[in-house]
Each structure stands twice: as C-alpha cells, then as structure tokens.
Amino acid sequence: MPITKAVVPVAGLGTRLYPAARAVKKELFPVVDRDGTVKPVIQLIVEEACVSGIEQVCLIVRPEDEAVFRRYFTETLPADVEARLADSGLVRAVERVLELGRHVDYVVQPQPEGFGHAVFCARSWVGDAPFLLMLGDHLSRSETATPCARQLLDTFDRLGRSVVAVKRTPEEWLHLFGTIGGSPLADMPRVYRVTAFAEKPSVADARARLRIDGLEAGAYLCFFGQYALTPGVFEGLQFAIQHDVREQREIQLTSALERVRQAEGGYAYEMQGERYDVGVPDGYARTVVAFART
Ligand code: UTP
C-alpha cells in the first residue's frame, strides 16, 4: 500500500535555541530558499512531503501553537498588504502557502512528553496504514533529482517494511542522533537490514555493537530525520507510554522502533542527500548558509 500521509511533530520546546525560540518556534525560523523567497522551516518540510507524493500532512502541535500554524497556512492577505506586494511576485508565493495549507491537518500534543509521544498523538489520524514521519526541525537537500522523502518512499514501496533513513555520521556526533547497527543487503544498494536501534549511544556502546561492515573507520549510520513506518510503531509507542520507558526524561521513538524491528523486521536506507538540523545553533547557521547558496 503506497504511503500518502505524513506526520510532522512540531510541539517540542526547542530549548537549545533559547532565547530566540521563546519568541518564535524553531519550526517557524526563517530560511532563504533557492528561489530567494524567505520561508519558515515548516513550509520547506511540507513542500518536500507534497512534491514527494504525500497527500495529507499532520502537524503535531502544542495547544497554544495550533492557531499560529493554522493562521500561517490558511490566512489570506489583507487587501492593503496585497496591494503593497502586487508587483513583487510575493502574492503568488503566499497563494502557494495557502494551496499547501489545504493538505495540512493539526493534532494537539497536550504536554511535551517527547518526540515519540508526539508521534503517538497521531495514531487515530494515521489509522491502520503506513506513514511518513518527518522531524519538524530537520531539513534535507537531495543530491539527486529525487527529493529525499521520495527516495525513502520508493525504498518503502520495494520492501513493504518500516525503513529508517540514515546518514553516515562521525563518531563525535553520536550524542546527537539515533543510530543503527546492521548489515548491507546484497541485492539493494544503500539498504541495510537493521540489527539494533540505539538512541544517542555512547562511543563505547557504538563501537561494541553498531559498527557496520563496509563503512569507513569511525563512521556510523545515524538517523536522517525521516522514517517510513508501518502502524505497528504505535504498539511500540503505547508500550513505552504505558511502562514509562523514557530516555533523557522523554518518551522517544527509538525503543518503539526496536520493538517493531523485533516483531516485523526493519530496514535502513542510506539517503542520497544532506540533513540539516535546525534545532541546534550550529545546525541552524549551517542551514541558512547552505540554502542561501542554493
Ligand atoms: P527535539 O528532540 O529536538 O526536542 O524534537 P525539542 O524539545 O523540540 O528541543 P530541545 O531539546 O528542547 O532543544 C525533535 C522534533 O520533535 C518535536 C519537536 O518539535 C521537533 O520537531 N517534539 C519534541 C514534539 O513534537 N513534542 C515533544 O514533546 C518533543
């Protein structure tokens, strides 16, 4: 069954970007896109989902933020502003935002209990079908003509099992990312059968059980920020919530991925593209520079 729905959690606190994130949610931080238009991060994410064939996107929002996101994706321009923008091409840019908005739904996460908890909030919206999950504070740039999300969906279509997008990542960054252990599939380039998921592993743990044949020394496969998942992940998340399985005080996705892997098997796809973590100061700076350069 092809994936047509995407979930994007945007209900985190974004404390690593304080004090700015007290004023503006990190998912609304501005980025200058390659056409010179200034867009909030969330718009770039929804655009990538839609050009990749997704029909409906669900934003998981904090109760007090729902109106902010809704307004951005639905509010038409007041006549005086429209008149001022008339010759600039920006009226069309705003119309495109409203067109995208027709594909966006909203579900509230009552408390910021963690990324995994936010995903669980989408359970009824997703229903009994596979879905695409995209981090709300990560952007991507494909190295091919195929957008990153589409590359992942194509891989899911071939395997019919959960696939996590990954990226070669140096050892010193392991504290920032979920990481996999696994082995490459002989008949599918860039695809790995996962043998373990670990959330932000220590270097010692990674050296002991997450090394991957064929990767250069000191490199690991860490999450890219996009996942194509079967609805089985909600069972894993429900277990984590019921048993209060927390990592760094939060209900995370990784333990649920590990449960799905044990039940159904799991795969990883090495993305042909770059990931940009907007949720940390260096990553945001890197994003702004890279996108402006096109
Ligand atoms: P992070 O793991 O970066 O957490 O979220 P955070 O709370 O936003 O940021 P810090 O750690 O305080 O700096 C990854 C993604 O998951 C969403 C975030 O909005 C972000 O897009 N998220 C996180 C939620 O939707 N709900 C949560 O409870 C936590």
Side-chain angles (χ1 to χ4, degrees), residues 30-39 141 287-288 291-293:
V31 174
V32 183
D33 202 2
R34 59 179 89 192
D35 64 359
T37 312
V38 188
K39 299 174 178 176
R141 268 288 160 90
T287 308
V288 171
F291 274 65
R293 273 206 205 113

Side-chain angles (χ1 to χ4, degrees), residues 142-202:
S142 178
E143 286 159 7
T144 76
T146 308
C148 289
R150 188 63 251 170
Q151 292 179 39
L152 180 60
L153 294 172
D154 287 342
T155 310
F156 179 88
D157 288 346
R158 292 174 69 190
L159 291 163
R161 301 280 171 84
S162 289
V163 190
V164 172
V166 291
K167 169 97 193 148
R168 287 180 197 216
T169 304
E171 201 169 68
E172 59 267 29
W173 289 5
L174 286 173
H175 65 285
L176 292 174
F177 297 103
T179 306
I180 68 150
S183 51
L185 291 195
D187 51 346
M188 284 182 75
R190 312 185 75 84
V191 178
Y192 299 79
R193 189 186 313 279
V194 178
T195 52
F197 286 108
E199 177 65 20
K200 303 185 180 86
S202 66

Side-chain angles (χ1 to χ4, degrees), residues 275-287:
R275 111 196 111 195
Y276 293 93
D277 181 358
V278 176
V280 292
D282 281 358
Y284 179 56
R286 219 166 63 80
T287 308

Side-chain angles (χ1 to χ4, degrees), residues 17-56:
L17 293 177
Y18 270 28
R22 293 176 70 232
V24 181
K25 301 239 3 135
K26 61 181 168 180
E27 295 86 357
L28 295 171
F29 275 23
V31 174
V32 183
D33 202 2
R34 59 179 89 192
D35 64 359
T37 312
V38 188
K39 299 174 178 176
V41 167
I42 190 63
Q43 182 180 342
L44 290 159
I45 295 171
V46 174
E47 282 178 354
E48 179 175 344
C50 290
V51 298
S52 298
I54 293 295
E55 292 167 9
Q56 214 57 30

Side-chain angles (χ1 to χ4, degrees), residues 33-40 42-44 46-47 50-51 72-77 88-104:
D33 202 2
R34 59 179 89 192
D35 64 359
T37 312
V38 188
K39 299 174 178 176
I42 190 63
Q43 182 180 342
L44 290 159
V46 174
E47 282 178 354
C50 290
V51 298
Y72 183 72
F73 280 112
T74 59
E75 198 169 78
T76 51
L77 285 173
S88 67
L90 293 177
V91 173
R92 181 68 199 117
V94 174
E95 283 168 0
R96 275 200 294 270
V97 176
L98 305 189
E99 283 161 21
L100 278 180
R102 287 199 268 283
H103 301 270
V104 180

Side-chain angles (χ1 to χ4, degrees), residues 5 62 77 88 91-92 115 134 138 165 193 197 204 207 211-212 253-254:
K5 289 182 166 183
R62 287 165 67 79
L77 285 173
S88 67
V91 173
R92 181 68 199 117
F115 173 55
M134 302 170 85
H138 278 46
R193 189 186 313 279
F197 286 108
R207 285 183 184 170
R211 291 283 314 140
I212 298 212
L253 180 71
T254 309

Side-chain angles (χ1 to χ4, degrees), residues 129-131 156 160-163 228-234 260 264:
F131 65 104
F156 179 88
R161 301 280 171 84
S162 289
V163 190
L229 300 173
T230 61
V233 74
F234 292 118
V260 176
E264 304 174 8

